Amino acid sequence: MGNWVVNYWFSVLFLATWLGLNVFLFVHAFLSYEKADKYFYTREILGFCRHALRKQLDHNLAFHKLVAYMICLHTAIHIIAHLFNFEHYSRSRWATDGSLASILSTLSQQERDEDSWINPIQSPNMTVEYVTFTSIAGVTGVIITIALVLIVTSAMEFIRRSYFEVFWYTHHIFIIYFIGLGIHGIGGIVRGQTEESLNESHPHRCAEFLEQWDDHDSHCKHPRFEGLPAESWKWILAPGILYIFERILRFYRSKQKVVITKVVMHPSKVLELQMSKHGFIMEVGQYIFVNCPSISYLEWHPFTLTSAPEEDFFSIHIRAVGDWTENLIRAFEQQHSPIPRIEVDGPFGTVSEDVFQYEVAVLVGAGIGVTPFASILKSIWYKFRHADHNLKTQTIYFFWICRETGAFAWFSDLLASLEHEMEELGKVDFLNYRLFLTGWDTNIAGHAALNFDKATDILTGLKQKTSFGRPMWDNEFSTIANAHPKSVVGVFLCGPQTLAKSLSKRCHQYSSLDPRKVQFYFNKEDF
């Protein structure tokens, strides 16, 4: 529990504040409808229940999803509530029992004043569908509901992974959604009694004398009503301003000139771009958004920086995993065409920036997920070369899990350099790395077995032999815990969610109950 609090206290505080603000606004609006005298007659028709209960950020993606779930949940509640409301409106309009609700529903016929009506179904022949598609609230409600359905369904992982462009463009329907949300309440479907009418004919005094409303000598007159002013803009104004400001800032940064200094094609269809940009300052493990106007003006894709802050350029490695990345790689492969123009926004921080805050760091990369750790390992190489005494980290355990041997090629040179550097400095135990190949056949395994006695691995050329299969995490964590019984260990992952769950579980399992002994803290990259 202590580990969880240390890792997530700021996220929890921020989330609690956000939820608290939402609860406050909801309760304030609910009590206004429930208690205010001007909604007395509205409650009479809709039948409000008088005995009901009165009801960082590194994890920005998780927070974004939580907000989306909350929007979907409350949209469903809102729609269901309106269905019940219109059932009450329709029933009251058809009623002939002389009840207060039935008389209130006929006010639009008895009075020509446009402020007299309270029931939007103003005649027996008027249907709910007619009210829905002829009112501002109804039309905008249908539009923003359709927009929300499209946004949510296109954000499913299958769509994001296989048809990213569909997800990207559909997700930007949120602009229509929030515009519709801002004007949704202008029509004033839910109406309350005007202040002037309250002073003239207060419901506490006149509701029981409804038969006298037509008498000119009566002190109780027909009540007058007005629509509630639109309230939703209060919820979206501040986020909208922040979003517009952020987009302007990102647009300005993205238009700064980017110079591509080197292009390298690695095995397994991995493209390396080395770039420079005026005023670009980065830290290890950060990422940037990249746009290629010749492919798409609107699509921006995140890529982890693989260069170190000590280098005079910044680089990314791009693997072909979809239409956009395939088109980008194809554009750079064309020999007789000019190099495509690239726009860059960032860098942005991630949890990997904290790697040097731990005495012991465990880095786990799956496939191209090794990219943030390339930056970290390069930076360590530079720190050792320049004898950086401020380096707190004493030991690094690096695990790289790949499906194919070609993926090791572009990263093996860096590991070889680190091996050599550590040997020269007498710090062989500083970097402990393991490479795991999950996609292999008997030919590869047999070839490796025959050459196992060689000084270097036949697949990577490194001294550390490649393992076949997946890591046995219980053994790995147990070994690390025994080797560092009183250390704080940071576990960093860039990989799939299933692996994240496994590592998170073992961080809790192998952390000592004694805070003075070994503690594992789990951190995951999210895009």
Side-chain angles (χ1 to χ4, degrees), residues 485 511-519:
S511 291
S512 174
L513 295 176
D514 186 345
R516 296 169 297 179
K517 296 184 179 180
V518 64
Q519 302 291 320

Side-chain angles (χ1 to χ4, degrees), residues 289-302:
F289 280 96
V290 175
N291 170 261
C292 183
S294 62
I295 297 176
S296 172
Y297 281 101
L298 299 178
E299 288 187 47
W300 290 81
H301 294 258

Side-chain angles (χ1 to χ4, degrees), residues 182-462:
I183 63 177
H184 181 58
I186 290 179
I189 291 293
V190 179
R191 298 166 67 82
Q193 197 170 356
T194 64
E195 291 295 332
E196 181 181 356
S197 180
L198 275 173
N199 295 330
E200 183 182 57
S201 304
H202 199 284
H204 292 173
R205 186 176 68 249
C206 298
E208 297 179 358
F209 303 100
L210 55 93
E211 67 279 354
Q212 299 179 10
W213 287 357
D214 292 324
D215 296 342
H216 294 288
D217 298 331
S218 173
H219 63 281
C220 293
K221 305 298 181 182
H222 280 96
R224 299 287 186 272
F225 302 95
E226 62 183 354
L228 176 71
E231 298 281 344
S232 52
W233 64 269
K234 297 178 182 178
W235 300 68
I236 61 178
L237 179 62
I241 292 174
L242 289 175
Y243 175 77
I244 292 172
F245 175 78
E246 190 258 356
R247 295 307 300 182
I248 293 174
L249 179 62
R250 290 184 63 176
F251 177 79
Y252 169 74
R253 292 190 308 193
S254 67
K255 292 304 177 182
Q256 295 176 323
K257 185 178 180 180
V258 175
V259 179
I260 300 175
T261 58
K262 189 175 182 180
V263 178
V264 182
M265 278 302 305
H266 294 284
S268 299
K269 297 191 73 174
V270 174
L271 169 69
E272 178 184 356
L273 296 180
Q274 296 183 9
M275 299 166 281
S276 63
K277 179 180 177 181
H278 178 71
F280 189 92
I281 300 174
M282 62 163 288
E283 296 294 337
V284 295
Q286 291 186 324
Y287 67 95
I288 58 175
F289 280 96
V290 175
N291 170 261
C292 183
S294 62
I295 297 176
S296 172
Y297 281 101
L298 299 178
E299 288 187 47
W300 290 81
H301 294 258
F303 294 96
T304 305
L305 292 166
T306 54
S307 53
E310 292 83 359
E311 294 176 308
D312 58 359
F313 63 90
F314 62 94
S315 65
I316 57 175
H317 286 68
I318 303 169
R319 182 165 60 95
V321 291
D323 292 342
W324 190 89
T325 51
E326 287 178 355
N327 290 335
L328 183 69
I329 292 174
R330 194 177 300 116
F332 277 96
E333 285 179 329
Q334 294 177 1
Q335 307 245 342
H336 303 293
S337 299
I339 295 178
R341 182 168 64 90
I342 294 294
E343 296 180 352
V344 170
D345 184 26
F348 301 96
T350 65
V351 293
S352 294
E353 291 183 72
D354 300 331
V355 67
F356 295 136
Q357 303 301 316
Y358 293 94
E359 301 169 10
V360 180
V362 178
L363 313 179
V364 182
I368 199 67
V370 75
T371 50
F373 308 131
S375 174
I376 293 169
L377 294 176
K378 283 183 181 180
S379 183
I380 289 173
W381 186 78
Y382 280 103
K383 290 180 186 297
F384 272 106
R385 289 193 64 186
H386 297 91
D388 188 347
H389 299 292
N390 295 322
L391 183 62
K392 183 179 179 180
T393 306
Q394 301 298 315
T395 307
I396 287 182
Y397 294 88
F398 174 54
F399 299 88
W400 189 11
I401 308 166
C402 279
R403 293 180 181 175
E404 53 186 11
T405 56
F408 291 129
W410 69 270
F411 201 57
S412 58
D413 290 341
L414 172 60
L415 291 175
S417 298
L418 283 169
E419 274 185 339
H420 181 69
E421 189 74 21
M422 297 303 112
E423 287 179 357
E424 286 188 347
L425 295 172
K427 292 183 176 292
V428 179
D429 294 333
F430 177 82
L431 176 63
N432 301 273
Y433 68 91
R434 300 280 303 280
L435 307 182
F436 293 85
L437 184 64
T438 58
W440 51 276
D441 54 32
T442 54
N443 291 331
I444 295 176
H447 189 49
L450 289 174
N451 294 273
F452 186 79
D453 293 334
K454 289 189 176 182
T456 58
D457 185 64
I458 62 165
L459 297 179
T460 63
L462 298 169

